[in-house]
Amino acid sequence: MAAGHHFPEIESLAAWVAQDLKRQESICEEILERLPDRFQLAEPFHSIEPRTQSKVDIPCFYDEEYETPLSLVFGGVFDYGMSDAHKKAIQAICSPDEWQMLKSLVEGRASPEEKAIRPFLMSRFPLFEWVAEENIDLSDDLERPDFSTEEGPYPIYLSTSEAEKFLSKSGYRLPWDHEWEYVAKELRSNVFICGDQLPRGDLSKNVCLTSFGSASKNKKASNFFGIAGLGLAAMTKVEGRNGVMVRGGASGFYPFQGPAQWAMLSTELQIPLQNMPDSLAGIRLCADIPN
Protein backbone atom coordinates (compact mmCIF):
# COMPACT_ATOMS: atom_id res chain seq x y z
CA MET A 1 0.00 0.00 0.00
CA ALA A 2 2.08 2.87 -1.27
CA ALA A 3 1.87 6.43 -0.03
CA GLY A 4 -0.33 8.53 -2.23
CA HIS A 5 -2.89 11.26 -2.43
CA HIS A 6 -5.09 11.83 0.53
CA PHE A 7 -7.56 14.33 1.81
CA PRO A 8 -6.87 17.72 3.42
CA GLU A 9 -9.71 16.89 5.82
CA ILE A 10 -7.61 14.21 7.53
CA GLU A 11 -4.39 16.24 7.69
CA SER A 12 -5.25 17.29 11.25
CA LEU A 13 -7.81 16.66 13.97
CA ALA A 14 -9.01 20.26 13.62
CA ALA A 15 -9.63 19.79 9.89
CA TRP A 16 -11.55 16.56 10.56
CA VAL A 17 -13.87 17.92 13.25
CA ALA A 18 -14.61 20.93 11.01
CA GLN A 19 -16.39 18.57 8.54
CA ASP A 20 -20.04 17.66 8.88
CA LEU A 21 -21.02 14.03 9.35
CA LYS A 22 -21.97 13.56 5.69
CA ARG A 23 -18.54 14.70 4.49
CA GLN A 24 -16.78 12.53 7.09
CA GLU A 25 -18.73 9.49 5.89
CA SER A 26 -17.94 10.33 2.26
CA ILE A 27 -14.19 10.53 3.01
CA CYS A 28 -14.28 7.13 4.75
CA GLU A 29 -16.09 5.61 1.74
CA GLU A 30 -13.50 7.09 -0.65
CA ILE A 31 -10.62 5.71 1.44
CA LEU A 32 -12.35 2.32 1.54
CA GLU A 33 -12.62 2.28 -2.27
CA ARG A 34 -8.84 2.70 -2.50
CA LEU A 35 -8.07 -0.11 -0.04
CA PRO A 36 -7.89 -3.78 -1.09
CA ASP A 37 -11.24 -5.59 -1.38
CA ARG A 38 -10.70 -7.42 1.91
CA PHE A 39 -11.42 -4.20 3.86
CA GLN A 40 -14.74 -2.92 5.09
CA LEU A 41 -15.82 0.09 7.13
CA ALA A 42 -16.07 -0.65 10.84
CA GLU A 43 -17.85 1.10 13.66
CA PRO A 44 -15.89 4.27 14.51
CA PHE A 45 -14.06 4.47 17.81
CA HIS A 46 -15.92 6.91 20.05
CA SER A 47 -13.15 9.03 21.54
CA ILE A 48 -12.70 12.13 23.68
CA GLU A 49 -10.35 14.91 22.58
CA PRO A 50 -7.75 15.22 25.38
CA ARG A 51 -7.63 19.02 25.64
CA THR A 52 -11.25 20.08 25.13
CA GLN A 53 -12.92 16.84 26.27
CA SER A 54 -15.17 17.04 23.20
CA LYS A 55 -16.41 13.86 21.50
CA VAL A 56 -14.65 12.70 18.32
CA ASP A 57 -15.42 9.65 16.18
CA ILE A 58 -12.18 8.05 14.95
CA PRO A 59 -12.78 6.27 11.60
CA CYS A 60 -11.99 2.55 11.67
CA PHE A 61 -11.48 0.00 8.89
CA TYR A 62 -11.60 -3.78 9.24
CA ASP A 63 -9.33 -6.18 7.36
CA GLU A 64 -11.42 -9.35 7.01
CA GLU A 65 -8.57 -11.54 5.79
CA TYR A 66 -6.25 -10.75 8.72
CA GLU A 67 -9.13 -10.02 11.12
CA THR A 68 -7.54 -6.72 12.08
CA PRO A 69 -9.31 -3.44 12.94
CA LEU A 70 -7.34 -0.30 12.05
CA SER A 71 -7.78 3.29 13.18
CA LEU A 72 -7.31 6.28 10.93
CA VAL A 73 -4.58 8.40 12.54
CA PHE A 74 -5.03 12.05 11.57
CA GLY A 75 -1.97 13.99 10.52
CA GLY A 76 -0.38 16.65 12.68
CA VAL A 77 2.81 18.28 13.90
CA PHE A 78 4.50 17.36 17.18
CA ASP A 79 7.82 17.40 19.05
CA TYR A 80 9.61 14.13 18.29
CA GLY A 81 12.23 13.34 20.92
CA MET A 82 12.71 14.05 24.60
CA SER A 83 12.59 17.57 25.99
CA ASP A 84 14.72 18.62 28.96
CA ALA A 85 11.52 18.80 31.04
CA HIS A 86 10.62 15.19 30.21
CA LYS A 87 14.20 14.05 30.88
CA LYS A 88 14.06 15.71 34.32
CA ALA A 89 10.62 14.16 35.00
CA ILE A 90 12.01 10.67 34.34
CA GLN A 91 15.19 11.30 36.33
CA ALA A 92 13.11 12.53 39.29
CA ILE A 93 11.32 9.16 39.47
CA CYS A 94 14.54 7.13 39.21
CA SER A 95 16.65 5.75 41.99
CA PRO A 96 20.37 6.49 41.42
CA ASP A 97 20.89 2.93 40.15
CA GLU A 98 17.94 3.18 37.78
CA TRP A 99 19.22 6.47 36.43
CA GLN A 100 22.60 4.89 35.66
CA MET A 101 20.75 2.21 33.65
CA LEU A 102 18.60 4.69 31.76
CA LYS A 103 20.89 7.68 31.42
CA SER A 104 22.38 6.82 28.02
CA LEU A 105 18.97 5.89 26.54
CA VAL A 106 17.38 9.09 27.86
CA GLU A 107 20.22 11.40 26.88
CA GLY A 108 20.42 9.82 23.45
CA ARG A 109 16.94 11.20 22.78
CA ALA A 110 17.24 14.59 24.47
CA SER A 111 16.95 16.78 21.37
CA PRO A 112 13.33 17.11 20.25
CA GLU A 113 12.59 18.18 16.67
CA GLU A 114 9.31 19.33 15.19
CA LYS A 115 7.95 16.57 12.97
CA ALA A 116 5.03 16.59 10.55
CA ILE A 117 2.98 13.38 10.40
CA ARG A 118 0.93 12.37 7.38
CA PRO A 119 -2.34 10.51 8.00
CA PHE A 120 -2.04 6.71 8.03
CA LEU A 121 -3.76 3.57 9.29
CA MET A 122 -2.59 1.73 12.41
CA SER A 123 -3.96 -1.52 13.83
CA ARG A 124 -5.89 -0.99 17.03
CA PHE A 125 -4.19 -4.02 18.62
CA PRO A 126 -0.76 -5.66 18.31
CA LEU A 127 -0.52 -8.64 15.96
CA PHE A 128 -2.25 -11.59 17.67
CA GLU A 129 -0.59 -14.99 18.03
CA TRP A 130 -3.24 -16.93 16.11
CA VAL A 131 -3.12 -14.50 13.15
CA ALA A 132 0.67 -14.96 12.93
CA GLU A 133 0.34 -18.75 13.27
CA GLU A 134 -2.21 -18.94 10.45
CA ASN A 135 -0.07 -16.97 8.01
CA ILE A 136 3.62 -17.74 8.55
CA ASP A 137 5.82 -20.53 9.88
CA LEU A 138 6.98 -19.66 13.38
CA SER A 139 10.30 -20.89 14.77
CA ASP A 140 10.02 -23.41 17.62
CA ASP A 141 13.49 -22.46 18.86
CA LEU A 142 12.62 -19.04 20.28
CA GLU A 143 11.66 -18.40 23.90
CA ARG A 144 8.73 -16.05 23.45
CA PRO A 145 6.92 -14.40 26.36
CA ASP A 146 3.68 -16.25 27.06
CA PHE A 147 0.70 -13.89 27.02
CA SER A 148 -1.84 -16.71 26.63
CA THR A 149 -5.02 -16.42 28.64
CA GLU A 150 -8.64 -17.52 28.69
CA GLU A 151 -9.70 -13.94 27.99
CA GLY A 152 -9.49 -13.81 24.23
CA PRO A 153 -6.78 -13.08 21.68
CA TYR A 154 -3.29 -12.17 22.84
CA PRO A 155 -0.16 -10.80 21.14
CA ILE A 156 2.96 -12.58 19.95
CA TYR A 157 6.57 -11.40 19.89
CA LEU A 158 8.43 -12.20 16.66
CA SER A 159 11.97 -12.20 15.34
CA THR A 160 12.76 -9.67 12.61
CA SER A 161 12.75 -12.40 9.95
CA GLU A 162 9.31 -13.60 11.08
CA ALA A 163 8.04 -10.02 11.10
CA GLU A 164 9.36 -9.45 7.59
CA LYS A 165 7.61 -12.61 6.36
CA PHE A 166 4.28 -11.53 7.81
CA LEU A 167 4.55 -7.97 6.50
CA SER A 168 5.58 -9.20 3.06
CA LYS A 169 2.59 -11.53 2.87
CA SER A 170 0.00 -9.10 4.24
CA GLY A 171 1.17 -5.90 2.53
CA TYR A 172 1.41 -3.99 5.80
CA ARG A 173 4.45 -2.13 7.12
CA LEU A 174 5.89 -1.36 10.53
CA PRO A 175 5.17 2.06 12.00
CA TRP A 176 7.85 4.65 11.55
CA ASP A 177 9.34 5.47 14.93
CA HIS A 178 7.95 9.02 14.80
CA GLU A 179 4.48 7.65 13.98
CA TRP A 180 4.50 5.41 17.06
CA GLU A 181 5.60 8.32 19.26
CA TYR A 182 2.97 10.64 17.77
CA VAL A 183 0.21 8.11 18.52
CA ALA A 184 1.57 7.46 22.04
CA LYS A 185 1.70 11.17 22.85
CA GLU A 186 -2.00 11.57 21.95
CA LEU A 187 -1.69 15.17 20.68
CA ARG A 188 -0.61 16.38 24.12
CA SER A 189 3.06 15.45 24.52
CA ASN A 190 2.61 12.73 27.16
CA VAL A 191 5.69 11.67 29.12
CA PHE A 192 4.22 8.16 29.47
CA ILE A 193 1.74 6.24 27.34
CA CYS A 194 -0.81 6.87 30.10
CA GLY A 195 -0.16 10.60 30.66
CA ASP A 196 2.43 12.69 32.49
CA GLN A 197 2.46 10.68 35.72
CA LEU A 198 3.36 7.05 36.38
CA PRO A 199 0.04 5.29 36.97
CA ARG A 200 -0.80 3.75 40.33
CA GLY A 201 -2.72 0.60 41.13
CA ASP A 202 -3.30 -2.41 38.90
CA LEU A 203 -2.05 -1.63 35.38
CA SER A 204 -3.03 -5.01 33.92
CA LYS A 205 -6.57 -3.80 33.21
CA ASN A 206 -5.59 -0.96 30.87
CA VAL A 207 -2.04 0.37 30.47
CA CYS A 208 -0.44 -3.10 30.55
CA LEU A 209 -3.37 -5.09 29.15
CA THR A 210 -2.16 -8.17 27.25
CA SER A 211 -5.40 -9.95 26.29
CA PHE A 212 -8.03 -8.37 24.12
CA GLY A 213 -11.22 -10.43 24.39
CA SER A 214 -13.33 -7.92 26.32
CA ALA A 215 -14.85 -4.97 24.45
CA SER A 216 -15.16 -2.92 27.64
CA LYS A 217 -11.54 -3.59 28.68
CA ASN A 218 -10.34 -2.85 25.15
CA LYS A 219 -12.17 0.48 25.21
CA LYS A 220 -10.66 1.37 28.60
CA ALA A 221 -7.19 0.38 27.37
CA SER A 222 -7.43 2.42 24.15
CA ASN A 223 -5.97 5.89 23.79
CA PHE A 224 -7.41 8.88 21.92
CA PHE A 225 -6.78 7.26 18.52
CA GLY A 226 -8.42 3.99 19.60
CA ILE A 227 -5.03 2.26 19.88
CA ALA A 228 -4.69 -0.32 22.70
CA GLY A 229 -1.71 -2.27 23.96
CA LEU A 230 0.97 0.40 23.56
CA GLY A 231 2.62 -1.10 26.66
CA LEU A 232 3.59 -4.12 24.56
CA ALA A 233 6.91 -4.03 22.75
CA ALA A 234 6.55 -2.87 19.15
CA MET A 235 9.14 -2.79 16.38
CA THR A 236 9.54 0.57 14.63
CA LYS A 237 11.61 1.82 11.71
CA VAL A 238 13.79 4.90 12.20
CA GLU A 239 14.29 7.19 9.21
CA GLY A 240 17.84 7.02 7.85
CA ARG A 241 18.78 4.04 9.99
CA ASN A 242 18.87 0.33 9.21
CA GLY A 243 17.25 -2.23 11.48
CA VAL A 244 14.44 -1.70 13.95
CA MET A 245 14.03 -0.06 17.33
CA VAL A 246 11.60 -1.15 20.03
CA ARG A 247 8.98 1.04 21.63
CA GLY A 248 6.89 0.18 24.67
CA GLY A 249 7.54 -3.19 26.26
CA ALA A 250 6.54 -2.58 29.88
CA SER A 251 3.58 -5.00 29.63
CA GLY A 252 5.97 -7.90 29.01
CA PHE A 253 7.60 -7.26 32.40
CA TYR A 254 4.46 -6.37 34.39
CA PRO A 255 4.09 -6.66 37.35
CA PHE A 256 7.51 -5.03 37.43
CA GLN A 257 10.13 -7.20 39.10
CA GLY A 258 13.34 -5.37 38.22
CA PRO A 259 14.65 -1.81 38.37
CA ALA A 260 13.54 0.73 35.75
CA GLN A 261 11.11 -1.60 33.96
CA TRP A 262 8.45 1.10 34.43
CA ALA A 263 10.55 3.33 32.14
CA MET A 264 9.32 1.32 29.17
CA LEU A 265 6.00 3.12 29.65
CA SER A 266 7.78 6.22 28.29
CA THR A 267 6.54 7.67 25.00
CA GLU A 268 10.11 8.67 24.12
CA LEU A 269 12.46 5.86 25.18
CA GLN A 270 13.91 3.92 22.23
CA ILE A 271 15.29 0.48 23.04
CA PRO A 272 17.62 -1.38 20.65
CA LEU A 273 16.06 -4.70 19.61
CA GLN A 274 19.12 -6.56 20.88
CA ASN A 275 18.30 -5.32 24.40
CA MET A 276 15.06 -7.36 24.31
CA PRO A 277 15.14 -10.99 25.47
CA ASP A 278 16.05 -13.12 22.42
CA SER A 279 15.73 -9.95 20.27
CA LEU A 280 11.96 -10.43 20.02
CA ALA A 281 9.19 -7.82 19.92
CA GLY A 282 5.61 -7.44 18.77
CA ILE A 283 4.46 -5.78 15.59
CA ARG A 284 1.83 -3.15 15.00
CA LEU A 285 0.39 -3.24 11.48
CA CYS A 286 0.38 0.05 9.58
CA ALA A 287 -0.57 1.19 6.09
CA ASP A 288 -0.42 4.43 4.15
CA ILE A 289 -3.60 6.01 2.82
CA PRO A 290 -3.49 4.63 -0.74
CA ASN A 291 -3.94 6.66 -3.90
Side-chain angles (χ1 to χ4, degrees):
M1 302 176 193
H5 300 295
H6 54 251
F7 308 87
E9 297 94 335
I10 61 173
E11 290 284 359
S12 69
L13 173 63
W16 177 252
V17 298
Q19 310 306 312
D20 61 27
L21 183 60
K22 192 172 178 187
R23 179 60 184 144
Q24 290 179 346
E25 288 173 347
S26 165
I27 291 165
C28 291
E29 290 286 356
E30 287 183 60
I31 292 172
L32 182 66
E33 284 173 18
R34 301 173 182 199
L35 290 168
D37 290 344
R38 66 183 200 247
F39 283 86
Q40 61 183 40
L41 271 176
E43 181 76 17
F45 179 78
H46 304 302
S47 193
I48 303 288
E49 201 280 314
R51 291 194 187 93
T52 63
Q53 295 296 296
S54 54
K55 293 178 180 176
V56 181
D57 277 352
I58 305 291
C60 291
F61 299 84
Y62 186 70
D63 181 340
E64 292 183 296
E65 185 175 343
Y66 295 96
E67 300 197 37
T68 297
L70 298 106
S71 285
L72 172 63
V73 177
F74 307 117
V77 176
F78 83 117
D79 286 336
Y80 172 56
M82 189 174 288
S83 66
D84 284 341
H86 284 193
K87 176 183 160 185
K88 285 174 182 161
I90 288 175
Q91 187 175 358
I93 300 167
C94 287
S95 70
D97 286 348
E98 286 177 326
W99 180 243
Q100 285 308 311
M101 291 172 66
L102 294 176
K103 191 176 177 187
S104 63
L105 291 173
V106 169
E107 292 183 339
R109 294 236 59 215
S111 54
E113 57 172 313
E114 193 172 82
K115 196 90 175 162
I117 301 293
R118 298 185 73 183
F120 68 104
L121 300 177
M122 177 181 266
S123 61
R124 288 199 55 212
F125 308 104
L127 181 69
F128 293 142
E129 182 182 63
W130 69 268
V131 179
E133 279 183 337
E134 281 198 353
N135 287 284
I136 59 169
D137 291 328
L138 295 167
S139 168
D140 294 327
D141 301 329
L142 299 171
E143 288 230 11
R144 306 176 202 272
D146 182 9
F147 297 115
S148 60
T149 168
E150 302 285 307
E151 295 182 35
Y154 51 88
I156 184 170
Y157 282 8
L158 303 177
S159 66
T160 50
S161 63
E162 289 170 335
E164 282 163 10
K165 280 181 201 162
F166 187 90
L167 296 169
S168 175
K169 181 177 181 189
S170 63
Y172 287 106
R173 62 171 175 82
L174 294 177
W176 289 104
D177 193 70
H178 51 269
E179 289 175 333
W180 189 97
E181 188 170 310
Y182 175 74
V183 167
K185 286 183 170 176
E186 293 187 283
L187 309 179
R188 55 182 178 180
S189 196
N190 293 345
V191 179
F192 300 105
I193 58 172
C194 39
D196 283 341
Q197 304 295 325
L198 268 185
R200 300 279 174 249
D202 181 3
L203 311 190
S204 63
K205 294 184 177 69
N206 47 29
V207 179
C208 290
L209 187 68
T210 58
S211 63
F212 300 93
S214 159
S216 60
K217 280 186 181 177
N218 292 350
K219 167 86 176 166
K220 194 178 173 192
S222 297
N223 76 356
F224 167 74
F225 291 107
I227 307 296
L230 285 169
L232 287 146
M235 298 183 193
T236 65
K237 297 282 284 179
V238 181
E239 282 185 334
R241 194 190 301 177
N242 288 329
V244 300
M245 296 300 283
V246 172
R247 294 306 205 104
S251 301
F253 298 104
Y254 188 78
F256 305 136
Q257 306 294 319
Q261 288 173 345
W262 55 265
M264 297 172 91
L265 293 168
S266 162
T267 59
E268 293 160 339
L269 215 63
Q270 294 172 329
I271 298 159
L273 183 63
Q274 59 267 30
N275 286 25
M276 294 292 292
D278 279 345
S279 296
L280 300 174
I283 63 172
R284 179 77 62 168
L285 304 178
C286 292
D288 297 310
I289 307 295
N291 58 15

